[in-house]
Amino acid sequence: MPDKDFEKASKRAGVLRREIEEHNQRYYQEAAPTISDQEFDKLLRELVDLEAAHPELKTPDSPTQRVGGKPLEEFAQITHRTPMQSLDNTYSEEEVGEFYRRMQKLLPGAEIPVVIEPKVDGVAVCLLYENGELQYAATRGDGTMGDDVTQNILTIRDVPRKLKGAHPPRLLEVRGEVYMTKEGFRKLNEERQEAGLPTFANPRNSAAGSLKQLDPAIVRKRPLGLVFHIFGAMEGADVETHSEALQLLKRCGLQIGEKIWKAKTGAEIIEAIRELDKVRHDFVYETDGAVVKVESFAQRERLGYTSKSPRWAMAYKYQPDRAETKLKSITIQVGRTGVLTPVAELEPVFVSGSTVARATLHNEEEVARKDIREGDTVIIEKAGEVIPAVVEVKKELRTGAEKEFKMPSKCPACGEPVFRDTEQVAVRCINASCPAQIKRRLEHFAHRGAMDIEGMGEAMVEAVVSHGFVRALDDLYDLTHDKLATIPRTGEKSIANLLAAIEASKERPLWRLLFGIGILHVGATASRALAAHFHTLDPLMAATVEDLERIPDIGEVVGASIHQYFQDRKNREMIERLRKAGLNLGEKDPRVEKKADTAISGTTWVITGTLSQPREEIAEAIRQAGGKVSGSVSKKTTYLLAGEEAGSKLEKAKELGMKVLGEQEFRAMIKGGQGS
């Protein structure tokens, strides 16, 4: 007679395997997971426990015995020199202690020093260098074989084609994590949402999606970085500990993690994990945990491996910062390109350092997939610690009064019928005179990062559009004292300051205008590239798609979008009205004039901490003086500008012996004219 417990376990194991394989497919190959890491780990742990209780259920192809991904068909395949295993992980400090005690039993009487590193929430890759030259870069794939992503990896500035130093290892197979910066993730999602494209769930997914691009020109525009943390195979160098290996990687010009901690007891490991938790939010990349590794390579060899994971390492994952609240209603936001975005209006709740009252629901498909309804109790999380998102619905708390969401058939701002793009998930209002679109375009145009018109904030934009004073961007330059004086609660000083700011915007450099007019897919970086290449607007407007594609940071998709924008008669007419209003179309662009070298010319800066001006304003001052601005500290950094409450970047700059300036010293350098 069959064992009923075994039958039940076998049936459940089959269900778990199918679910885990499905989620692996979405996570590794589609970069579009539908459950959280914690939920996935729970499923995997349940299967591990079932197979431990019933060893006969364990099969070679079980998800517990291998890494989840498999190579994509679009890329060539590369076999790793040594397998890329995954790590056992836990959310329990107690299990971290058990992990250390387990190693002590395997190495009785030995002291076992360990290192604790930030667990970068990125995409695992492997790079092979021979005689210092990069041969290839590959994704983890199934742990044995991965996708050849060499050309995409070479677009990342942190990755050297040739290792530094006089005598690099003869052969170095090095592993690391490709990440997207948290700020870059926020901007990328904003651009994708405006373009009607699906947004990424978190920085890890956006990095994975970027590496899957078949066009390296697209990858080059993504704010990616790569942190190296271990090697697989190595010949021609002698290192005995993990710390020595990291220093070797650093000398070779490979970016390593922000900081590591060392410990010799279970209690010290837990203390280090807690210390990391306090500072990890300062890193430019997202971290979701800590990795504990045995320091000595000799001890690693003695501890050995399981079929899937090393016995000498474990990942501890931090509980995601979430909050439960009520979704009061779902409203529709109309973007500057006409895309309709559903937004969750929430009962205010505190999460990840701020109070959240609204969260994007991305698009109609996302709402339907998660079955989000008005009146639901929901769980909120900040994706990449930046964007509030609804990650879970507490369906068991439903009362029956909740309302299903349906995207409107007419634009809520202008009442015109909406257009459903069959090739994208976007629903658009295509009425160019839609007041909501005009407001969003005007807000973008006047924003500090674009034309920088102080005083033209959300309230003033609402007022000038509602009063009918602005129906297109060029109408901004027809605003007068008499018109503004009719707006309630607008004082004489505010009017004078706003008109002065509008007048000053006429002198802004060409790249700011290009960014400000809101060409689809054209951000600040592409705008700078266009201005640097064409110098004035007229040759840009006359450029063919082929001309545009040849420009760095542009590529096929962006080039086509720019060409299409300037072929539109209404857009060209608006440009002519801006020209008549006296705006700088490049003739007065400081990039055209040969500027004298300054103390900042050719230098690279990183900005951190709280300063007297927004960072983008300071960054622009550096660029105008001939310098570059980077988001992370590396050997290429010349100066770190540190304000109050500077965090891990300051520590790293000091470790590298880098010059650190306060704001007063920086201001003196900017004003100093020609320098040495």
Side-chain angles (χ1 to χ4, degrees), residues 180 185-201 206 209-210 213 218 222 337 339 341 362 424-426 428 520-521:
M180 179 171 285
F185 165 70
R186 183 185 65 78
K187 289 181 178 177
L188 177 63
N189 260 1
E190 285 179 357
E191 291 172 4
R192 289 179 70 84
Q193 189 161 305
E194 286 290 350
L197 299 171
T199 53
F200 290 112
S206 58
S210 298
Q213 294 291 331
I218 296 174
R222 303 278 173 90
T337 60
V339 173
T341 302
H362 301 299
Q424 298 177 347
V425 296
R428 291 180 189 274
L520 192 62
H521 304 308

PDB file of all heavy atoms in Angstrom, residues 180 185-201 206 209-210 213 218 222 337 339 341 362 424-426 428 520-521:
ATOM      1  N   MET A 180      22.494  48.512 -12.020  1.00  0.00           N
ATOM      2  CA  MET A 180      22.091  49.833 -12.492  1.00  0.00           C
ATOM      3  C   MET A 180      21.996  50.740 -11.272  1.00  0.00           C
ATOM      4  O   MET A 180      21.471  50.334 -10.236  1.00  0.00           O
ATOM      5  CB  MET A 180      20.738  49.789 -13.213  1.00  0.00           C
ATOM      6  CG  MET A 180      20.279  51.164 -13.687  1.00  0.00           C
ATOM      7  SD  MET A 180      18.819  51.103 -14.764  1.00  0.00           S
ATOM      8  CE  MET A 180      19.563  50.503 -16.283  1.00  0.00           C
ATOM      9  N   PHE A 185      18.095  54.172 -12.488  1.00  0.00           N
ATOM     10  CA  PHE A 185      16.890  53.358 -12.568  1.00  0.00           C
ATOM     11  C   PHE A 185      15.640  54.235 -12.536  1.00  0.00           C
ATOM     12  O   PHE A 185      14.701  54.047 -13.316  1.00  0.00           O
ATOM     13  CB  PHE A 185      16.890  52.368 -11.396  1.00  0.00           C
ATOM     14  CG  PHE A 185      15.561  51.714 -11.125  1.00  0.00           C
ATOM     15  CD1 PHE A 185      15.032  50.792 -12.009  1.00  0.00           C
ATOM     16  CD2 PHE A 185      14.842  52.018  -9.985  1.00  0.00           C
ATOM     17  CE1 PHE A 185      13.816  50.179 -11.754  1.00  0.00           C
ATOM     18  CE2 PHE A 185      13.633  51.410  -9.721  1.00  0.00           C
ATOM     19  CZ  PHE A 185      13.115  50.490 -10.612  1.00  0.00           C
ATOM     20  N   ARG A 186      15.642  55.219 -11.647  1.00  0.00           N
ATOM     21  CA  ARG A 186      14.487  56.112 -11.540  1.00  0.00           C
ATOM     22  C   ARG A 186      14.263  56.859 -12.858  1.00  0.00           C
ATOM     23  O   ARG A 186      13.137  56.932 -13.372  1.00  0.00           O
ATOM     24  CB  ARG A 186      14.704  57.108 -10.396  1.00  0.00           C
ATOM     25  CG  ARG A 186      13.512  58.044 -10.154  1.00  0.00           C
ATOM     26  CD  ARG A 186      13.841  59.079  -9.110  1.00  0.00           C
ATOM     27  NE  ARG A 186      14.885  59.993  -9.541  1.00  0.00           N
ATOM     28  CZ  ARG A 186      14.705  61.010 -10.373  1.00  0.00           C
ATOM     29  NH1 ARG A 186      13.504  61.239 -10.878  1.00  0.00           N
ATOM     30  NH2 ARG A 186      15.703  61.794 -10.710  1.00  0.00           N
ATOM     31  N   LYS A 187      15.351  57.407 -13.425  1.00  0.00           N
ATOM     32  CA  LYS A 187      15.227  58.181 -14.662  1.00  0.00           C
ATOM     33  C   LYS A 187      14.815  57.283 -15.832  1.00  0.00           C
ATOM     34  O   LYS A 187      14.003  57.676 -16.678  1.00  0.00           O
ATOM     35  CB  LYS A 187      16.552  58.878 -14.974  1.00  0.00           C
ATOM     36  CG  LYS A 187      16.873  60.028 -14.019  1.00  0.00           C
ATOM     37  CD  LYS A 187      18.181  60.697 -14.398  1.00  0.00           C
ATOM     38  CE  LYS A 187      18.477  61.868 -13.465  1.00  0.00           C
ATOM     39  NZ  LYS A 187      19.793  62.491 -13.771  1.00  0.00           N
ATOM     40  N   LEU A 188      15.386  56.079 -15.901  1.00  0.00           N
ATOM     41  CA  LEU A 188      15.052  55.168 -16.996  1.00  0.00           C
ATOM     42  C   LEU A 188      13.579  54.807 -16.964  1.00  0.00           C
ATOM     43  O   LEU A 188      12.906  54.798 -18.005  1.00  0.00           O
ATOM     44  CB  LEU A 188      15.899  53.898 -16.897  1.00  0.00           C
ATOM     45  CG  LEU A 188      15.601  52.822 -17.939  1.00  0.00           C
ATOM     46  CD1 LEU A 188      15.901  53.322 -19.345  1.00  0.00           C
ATOM     47  CD2 LEU A 188      16.405  51.557 -17.648  1.00  0.00           C
ATOM     48  N   ASN A 189      13.040  54.529 -15.795  1.00  0.00           N
ATOM     49  CA  ASN A 189      11.622  54.178 -15.705  1.00  0.00           C
ATOM     50  C   ASN A 189      10.726  55.347 -16.082  1.00  0.00           C
ATOM     51  O   ASN A 189       9.675  55.168 -16.702  1.00  0.00           O
ATOM     52  CB  ASN A 189      11.287  53.686 -14.297  1.00  0.00           C
ATOM     53  CG  ASN A 189      11.233  52.170 -14.225  1.00  0.00           C
ATOM     54  OD1 ASN A 189      11.465  51.481 -15.211  1.00  0.00           O
ATOM     55  ND2 ASN A 189      10.913  51.643 -13.063  1.00  0.00           N
ATOM     56  N   GLU A 190      11.135  56.554 -15.707  1.00  0.00           N
ATOM     57  CA  GLU A 190      10.357  57.742 -16.091  1.00  0.00           C
ATOM     58  C   GLU A 190      10.300  57.849 -17.614  1.00  0.00           C
ATOM     59  O   GLU A 190       9.245  58.111 -18.195  1.00  0.00           O
ATOM     60  CB  GLU A 190      10.982  59.004 -15.497  1.00  0.00           C
ATOM     61  CG  GLU A 190      10.735  59.176 -14.001  1.00  0.00           C
ATOM     62  CD  GLU A 190      11.397  60.426 -13.448  1.00  0.00           C
ATOM     63  OE1 GLU A 190      12.088  61.122 -14.220  1.00  0.00           O
ATOM     64  OE2 GLU A 190      11.237  60.704 -12.251  1.00  0.00           O
ATOM     65  N   GLU A 191      11.461  57.646 -18.268  1.00  0.00           N
ATOM     66  CA  GLU A 191      11.522  57.749 -19.723  1.00  0.00           C
ATOM     67  C   GLU A 191      10.693  56.642 -20.387  1.00  0.00           C
ATOM     68  O   GLU A 191       9.992  56.869 -21.373  1.00  0.00           O
ATOM     69  CB  GLU A 191      12.979  57.662 -20.187  1.00  0.00           C
ATOM     70  CG  GLU A 191      13.813  58.879 -19.810  1.00  0.00           C
ATOM     71  CD  GLU A 191      15.289  58.681 -20.119  1.00  0.00           C
ATOM     72  OE1 GLU A 191      15.650  57.633 -20.701  1.00  0.00           O
ATOM     73  OE2 GLU A 191      16.092  59.558 -19.760  1.00  0.00           O
ATOM     74  N   ARG A 192      10.786  55.424 -19.849  1.00  0.00           N
ATOM     75  CA  ARG A 192      10.039  54.308 -20.438  1.00  0.00           C
ATOM     76  C   ARG A 192       8.532  54.514 -20.270  1.00  0.00           C
ATOM     77  O   ARG A 192       7.749  54.211 -21.177  1.00  0.00           O
ATOM     78  CB  ARG A 192      10.475  52.988 -19.790  1.00  0.00           C
ATOM     79  CG  ARG A 192      11.873  52.556 -20.200  1.00  0.00           C
ATOM     80  CD  ARG A 192      12.274  51.256 -19.516  1.00  0.00           C
ATOM     81  NE  ARG A 192      11.530  50.127 -20.028  1.00  0.00           N
ATOM     82  CZ  ARG A 192      11.843  49.440 -21.135  1.00  0.00           C
ATOM     83  NH1 ARG A 192      12.888  49.781 -21.850  1.00  0.00           N
ATOM     84  NH2 ARG A 192      11.109  48.421 -21.522  1.00  0.00           N
ATOM     85  N   GLN A 193       8.137  55.036 -19.123  1.00  0.00           N
ATOM     86  CA  GLN A 193       6.709  55.261 -18.888  1.00  0.00           C
ATOM     87  C   GLN A 193       6.173  56.312 -19.852  1.00  0.00           C
ATOM     88  O   GLN A 193       5.088  56.165 -20.417  1.00  0.00           O
ATOM     89  CB  GLN A 193       6.488  55.703 -17.439  1.00  0.00           C
ATOM     90  CG  GLN A 193       5.004  55.755 -17.060  1.00  0.00           C
ATOM     91  CD  GLN A 193       4.823  55.740 -15.558  1.00  0.00           C
ATOM     92  OE1 GLN A 193       5.306  54.872 -14.867  1.00  0.00           O
ATOM     93  NE2 GLN A 193       4.127  56.735 -15.040  1.00  0.00           N
ATOM     94  N   GLU A 194       6.953  57.384 -20.057  1.00  0.00           N
ATOM     95  CA  GLU A 194       6.534  58.435 -20.990  1.00  0.00           C
ATOM     96  C   GLU A 194       6.451  57.895 -22.417  1.00  0.00           C
ATOM     97  O   GLU A 194       5.628  58.338 -23.208  1.00  0.00           O
ATOM     98  CB  GLU A 194       7.511  59.612 -20.945  1.00  0.00           C
ATOM     99  CG  GLU A 194       7.383  60.472 -19.703  1.00  0.00           C
ATOM    100  CD  GLU A 194       6.089  61.273 -19.680  1.00  0.00           C
ATOM    101  OE1 GLU A 194       5.386  61.314 -20.709  1.00  0.00           O
ATOM    102  OE2 GLU A 194       5.768  61.844 -18.634  1.00  0.00           O
ATOM    103  N   ALA A 195       7.319  56.910 -22.733  1.00  0.00           N
ATOM    104  CA  ALA A 195       7.340  56.359 -24.087  1.00  0.00           C
ATOM    105  C   ALA A 195       6.298  55.260 -24.269  1.00  0.00           C
ATOM    106  O   ALA A 195       6.163  54.707 -25.360  1.00  0.00           O
ATOM    107  CB  ALA A 195       8.728  55.815 -24.406  1.00  0.00           C
ATOM    108  N   GLY A 196       5.570  54.912 -23.192  1.00  0.00           N
ATOM    109  CA  GLY A 196       4.567  53.870 -23.285  1.00  0.00           C
ATOM    110  C   GLY A 196       5.149  52.473 -23.242  1.00  0.00           C
ATOM    111  O   GLY A 196       4.499  51.496 -23.624  1.00  0.00           O
ATOM    112  N   LEU A 197       6.400  52.347 -22.775  1.00  0.00           N
ATOM    113  CA  LEU A 197       7.049  51.049 -22.681  1.00  0.00           C
ATOM    114  C   LEU A 197       6.872  50.477 -21.282  1.00  0.00           C
ATOM    115  O   LEU A 197       6.708  51.228 -20.319  1.00  0.00           O
ATOM    116  CB  LEU A 197       8.547  51.189 -22.989  1.00  0.00           C
ATOM    117  CG  LEU A 197       8.898  51.714 -24.385  1.00  0.00           C
ATOM    118  CD1 LEU A 197      10.389  52.003 -24.470  1.00  0.00           C
ATOM    119  CD2 LEU A 197       8.488  50.700 -25.448  1.00  0.00           C
ATOM    120  N   PRO A 198       6.931  49.149 -21.124  1.00  0.00           N
ATOM    121  CA  PRO A 198       6.822  48.567 -19.782  1.00  0.00           C
ATOM    122  C   PRO A 198       7.966  49.055 -18.902  1.00  0.00           C
ATOM    123  O   PRO A 198       9.109  49.138 -19.351  1.00  0.00           O
ATOM    124  CB  PRO A 198       6.938  47.057 -20.044  1.00  0.00           C
ATOM    125  CG  PRO A 198       6.649  46.872 -21.489  1.00  0.00           C
ATOM    126  CD  PRO A 198       7.073  48.125 -22.176  1.00  0.00           C
ATOM    127  N   THR A 199       7.677  49.391 -17.656  1.00  0.00           N
ATOM    128  CA  THR A 199       8.719  49.824 -16.730  1.00  0.00           C
ATOM    129  C   THR A 199       9.332  48.612 -16.054  1.00  0.00           C
ATOM    130  O   THR A 199       8.727  47.546 -15.979  1.00  0.00           O
ATOM    131  CB  THR A 199       8.152  50.775 -15.666  1.00  0.00           C
ATOM    132  OG1 THR A 199       7.017  50.159 -15.046  1.00  0.00           O
ATOM    133  CG2 THR A 199       7.733  52.098 -16.282  1.00  0.00           C
ATOM    134  N   PHE A 200      10.568  48.778 -15.559  1.00  0.00           N
ATOM    135  CA  PHE A 200      11.245  47.705 -14.854  1.00  0.00           C
ATOM    136  C   PHE A 200      10.812  47.697 -13.396  1.00  0.00           C
ATOM    137  O   PHE A 200      10.554  48.745 -12.804  1.00  0.00           O
ATOM    138  CB  PHE A 200      12.760  47.880 -14.947  1.00  0.00           C
ATOM    139  CG  PHE A 200      13.316  47.649 -16.323  1.00  0.00           C
ATOM    140  CD1 PHE A 200      13.862  48.697 -17.056  1.00  0.00           C
ATOM    141  CD2 PHE A 200      13.300  46.388 -16.886  1.00  0.00           C
ATOM    142  CE1 PHE A 200      14.381  48.485 -18.321  1.00  0.00           C
ATOM    143  CE2 PHE A 200      13.812  46.168 -18.165  1.00  0.00           C
ATOM    144  CZ  PHE A 200      14.356  47.210 -18.873  1.00  0.00           C
ATOM    145  N   ALA A 201      10.767  46.502 -12.804  1.00  0.00           N
ATOM    146  CA  ALA A 201      10.299  46.368 -11.427  1.00  0.00           C
ATOM    147  C   ALA A 201      11.317  46.883 -10.423  1.00  0.00           C
ATOM    148  O   ALA A 201      10.960  47.391  -9.366  1.00  0.00           O
ATOM    149  CB  ALA A 201       9.975  44.902 -11.129  1.00  0.00           C
ATOM    150  N   SER A 206      16.251  45.944 -14.438  1.00  0.00           N
ATOM    151  CA  SER A 206      16.652  46.870 -15.495  1.00  0.00           C
ATOM    152  C   SER A 206      18.060  46.555 -15.985  1.00  0.00           C
ATOM    153  O   SER A 206      18.352  46.674 -17.174  1.00  0.00           O
ATOM    154  CB  SER A 206      16.561  48.322 -15.007  1.00  0.00           C
ATOM    155  OG  SER A 206      17.357  48.519 -13.865  1.00  0.00           O
ATOM    156  N   GLY A 209      17.638  43.405 -18.126  1.00  0.00           N
ATOM    157  CA  GLY A 209      17.036  43.771 -19.400  1.00  0.00           C
ATOM    158  C   GLY A 209      18.023  44.469 -20.312  1.00  0.00           C
ATOM    159  O   GLY A 209      18.004  44.286 -21.539  1.00  0.00           O
ATOM    160  N   SER A 210      18.917  45.263 -19.725  1.00  0.00           N
ATOM    161  CA  SER A 210      19.925  45.969 -20.521  1.00  0.00           C
ATOM    162  C   SER A 210      20.915  44.994 -21.142  1.00  0.00           C
ATOM    163  O   SER A 210      21.264  45.111 -22.322  1.00  0.00           O
ATOM    164  CB  SER A 210      20.672  46.981 -19.643  1.00  0.00           C
ATOM    165  OG  SER A 210      19.791  47.956 -19.129  1.00  0.00           O
ATOM    166  N   GLN A 213      19.924  43.258 -24.382  1.00  0.00           N
ATOM    167  CA  GLN A 213      19.785  44.024 -25.618  1.00  0.00           C
ATOM    168  C   GLN A 213      20.767  43.512 -26.670  1.00  0.00           C
ATOM    169  O   GLN A 213      21.938  43.245 -26.380  1.00  0.00           O
ATOM    170  CB  GLN A 213      20.073  45.512 -25.356  1.00  0.00           C
ATOM    171  CG  GLN A 213      19.072  46.191 -24.450  1.00  0.00           C
ATOM    172  CD  GLN A 213      17.717  46.342 -25.103  1.00  0.00           C
ATOM    173  OE1 GLN A 213      17.621  46.457 -26.318  1.00  0.00           O
ATOM    174  NE2 GLN A 213      16.676  46.351 -24.286  1.00  0.00           N
ATOM    175  N   ILE A 218      22.336  50.727 -27.341  1.00  0.00           N
ATOM    176  CA  ILE A 218      21.283  50.943 -26.349  1.00  0.00           C
ATOM    177  C   ILE A 218      21.835  50.730 -24.955  1.00  0.00           C
ATOM    178  O   ILE A 218      21.565  51.498 -24.032  1.00  0.00           O
ATOM    179  CB  ILE A 218      20.098  49.989 -26.614  1.00  0.00           C
ATOM    180  CG1 ILE A 218      19.454  50.307 -27.971  1.00  0.00           C
ATOM    181  CG2 ILE A 218      19.056  50.089 -25.497  1.00  0.00           C
ATOM    182  CD1 ILE A 218      18.369  49.336 -28.381  1.00  0.00           C
ATOM    183  N   ARG A 222      22.590  53.123 -20.864  1.00  0.00           N
ATOM    184  CA  ARG A 222      22.071  52.729 -19.560  1.00  0.00           C
ATOM    185  C   ARG A 222      23.137  52.969 -18.487  1.00  0.00           C
ATOM    186  O   ARG A 222      24.315  52.643 -18.706  1.00  0.00           O
ATOM    187  CB  ARG A 222      21.665  51.241 -19.582  1.00  0.00           C
ATOM    188  CG  ARG A 222      20.623  50.902 -20.673  1.00  0.00           C
ATOM    189  CD  ARG A 222      19.217  51.232 -20.229  1.00  0.00           C
ATOM    190  NE  ARG A 222      18.221  51.090 -21.275  1.00  0.00           N
ATOM    191  CZ  ARG A 222      17.547  49.972 -21.543  1.00  0.00           C
ATOM    192  NH1 ARG A 222      17.787  48.868 -20.864  1.00  0.00           N
ATOM    193  NH2 ARG A 222      16.628  49.966 -22.488  1.00  0.00           N
ATOM    194  N   THR A 337       3.737  62.904 -23.064  1.00  0.00           N
ATOM    195  CA  THR A 337       3.589  62.291 -24.389  1.00  0.00           C
ATOM    196  C   THR A 337       2.203  61.695 -24.573  1.00  0.00           C
ATOM    197  O   THR A 337       1.957  61.001 -25.553  1.00  0.00           O
ATOM    198  CB  THR A 337       4.644  61.185 -24.598  1.00  0.00           C
ATOM    199  OG1 THR A 337       4.467  60.175 -23.591  1.00  0.00           O
ATOM    200  CG2 THR A 337       6.045  61.744 -24.515  1.00  0.00           C
ATOM    201  N   VAL A 339       0.664  59.455 -22.566  1.00  0.00           N
ATOM    202  CA  VAL A 339       0.465  58.130 -21.974  1.00  0.00           C
ATOM    203  C   VAL A 339      -0.378  58.250 -20.709  1.00  0.00           C
ATOM    204  O   VAL A 339      -0.112  59.087 -19.841  1.00  0.00           O
ATOM    205  CB  VAL A 339       1.817  57.466 -21.644  1.00  0.00           C
ATOM    206  CG1 VAL A 339       1.599  56.163 -20.875  1.00  0.00           C
ATOM    207  CG2 VAL A 339       2.595  57.193 -22.919  1.00  0.00           C
ATOM    208  N   THR A 341      -1.407  56.776 -17.248  1.00  0.00           N
ATOM    209  CA  THR A 341      -0.824  55.893 -16.234  1.00  0.00           C
ATOM    210  C   THR A 341      -1.741  55.814 -15.027  1.00  0.00           C
ATOM    211  O   THR A 341      -2.063  56.846 -14.427  1.00  0.00           O
ATOM    212  CB  THR A 341       0.554  56.416 -15.785  1.00  0.00           C
ATOM    213  OG1 THR A 341       1.415  56.516 -16.921  1.00  0.00           O
ATOM    214  CG2 THR A 341       1.178  55.487 -14.747  1.00  0.00           C
ATOM    215  N   HIS A 362       1.809  51.609 -13.087  1.00  0.00           N
ATOM    216  CA  HIS A 362       2.460  51.379 -14.374  1.00  0.00           C
ATOM    217  C   HIS A 362       1.502  51.354 -15.571  1.00  0.00           C
ATOM    218  O   HIS A 362       1.587  52.225 -16.430  1.00  0.00           O
ATOM    219  CB  HIS A 362       3.296  50.102 -14.341  1.00  0.00           C
ATOM    220  CG  HIS A 362       4.360  50.128 -13.302  1.00  0.00           C
ATOM    221  ND1 HIS A 362       5.365  51.068 -13.301  1.00  0.00           N
ATOM    222  CD2 HIS A 362       4.556  49.353 -12.208  1.00  0.00           C
ATOM    223  CE1 HIS A 362       6.151  50.874 -12.260  1.00  0.00           C
ATOM    224  NE2 HIS A 362       5.678  49.842 -11.574  1.00  0.00           N
ATOM    225  N   GLN A 424       2.572  48.109 -27.937  1.00  0.00           N
ATOM    226  CA  GLN A 424       3.051  48.464 -26.612  1.00  0.00           C
ATOM    227  C   GLN A 424       1.895  48.323 -25.630  1.00  0.00           C
ATOM    228  O   GLN A 424       0.755  48.083 -26.011  1.00  0.00           O
ATOM    229  CB  GLN A 424       3.593  49.901 -26.604  1.00  0.00           C
ATOM    230  CG  GLN A 424       4.773  50.113 -27.531  1.00  0.00           C
ATOM    231  CD  GLN A 424       5.241  51.560 -27.541  1.00  0.00           C
ATOM    232  OE1 GLN A 424       4.566  52.457 -27.052  1.00  0.00           O
ATOM    233  NE2 GLN A 424       6.411  51.788 -28.090  1.00  0.00           N
ATOM    234  N   VAL A 425       2.208  48.475 -24.344  1.00  0.00           N
ATOM    235  CA  VAL A 425       1.143  48.373 -23.340  1.00  0.00           C
ATOM    236  C   VAL A 425       0.481  49.729 -23.115  1.00  0.00           C
ATOM    237  O   VAL A 425      -0.432  49.847 -22.314  1.00  0.00           O
ATOM    238  CB  VAL A 425       1.699  47.838 -22.003  1.00  0.00           C
ATOM    239  CG1 VAL A 425       2.221  46.429 -22.174  1.00  0.00           C
ATOM    240  CG2 VAL A 425       2.791  48.756 -21.450  1.00  0.00           C
ATOM    241  N   ALA A 426       0.929  50.737 -23.837  1.00  0.00           N
ATOM    242  CA  ALA A 426       0.479  52.101 -23.569  1.00  0.00           C
ATOM    243  C   ALA A 426      -0.925  52.375 -24.093  1.00  0.00           C
ATOM    244  O   ALA A 426      -1.339  51.888 -25.138  1.00  0.00           O
ATOM    245  CB  ALA A 426       1.449  53.104 -24.195  1.00  0.00           C
ATOM    246  N   ARG A 428      -2.873  55.931 -24.940  1.00  0.00           N
ATOM    247  CA  ARG A 428      -2.483  57.329 -25.116  1.00  0.00           C
ATOM    248  C   ARG A 428      -3.661  58.228 -25.453  1.00  0.00           C
ATOM    249  O   ARG A 428      -4.588  57.818 -26.144  1.00  0.00           O
ATOM    250  CB  ARG A 428      -1.470  57.482 -26.263  1.00  0.00           C
ATOM    251  CG  ARG A 428      -0.111  56.914 -26.044  1.00  0.00           C
ATOM    252  CD  ARG A 428       0.743  57.169 -27.287  1.00  0.00           C
ATOM    253  NE  ARG A 428       2.003  56.476 -27.237  1.00  0.00           N
ATOM    254  CZ  ARG A 428       3.103  56.941 -26.658  1.00  0.00           C
ATOM    255  NH1 ARG A 428       3.075  58.126 -26.096  1.00  0.00           N
ATOM    256  NH2 ARG A 428       4.211  56.238 -26.653  1.00  0.00           N
ATOM    257  N   LEU A 520      10.904  62.319 -27.762  1.00  0.00           N
ATOM    258  CA  LEU A 520      10.783  60.969 -27.231  1.00  0.00           C
ATOM    259  C   LEU A 520      12.133  60.257 -27.261  1.00  0.00           C
ATOM    260  O   LEU A 520      12.841  60.284 -28.269  1.00  0.00           O
ATOM    261  CB  LEU A 520       9.759  60.182 -28.063  1.00  0.00           C
ATOM    262  CG  LEU A 520       9.287  58.839 -27.493  1.00  0.00           C
ATOM    263  CD1 LEU A 520       8.579  59.036 -26.152  1.00  0.00           C
ATOM    264  CD2 LEU A 520       8.344  58.170 -28.490  1.00  0.00           C
ATOM    265  N   HIS A 521      12.511  59.640 -26.144  1.00  0.00           N
ATOM    266  CA  HIS A 521      13.751  58.872 -25.950  1.00  0.00           C
ATOM    267  C   HIS A 521      14.999  59.742 -25.784  1.00  0.00           C
ATOM    268  O   HIS A 521      16.096  59.201 -25.604  1.00  0.00           O
ATOM    269  CB  HIS A 521      14.022  57.887 -27.104  1.00  0.00           C
ATOM    270  CG  HIS A 521      12.923  56.920 -27.360  1.00  0.00           C
ATOM    271  ND1 HIS A 521      12.376  56.141 -26.367  1.00  0.00           N
ATOM    272  CD2 HIS A 521      12.247  56.594 -28.498  1.00  0.00           C
ATOM    273  CE1 HIS A 521      11.431  55.380 -26.880  1.00  0.00           C
ATOM    274  NE2 HIS A 521      11.312  55.639 -28.167  1.00  0.00           N
TER     275      HIS A 521
END
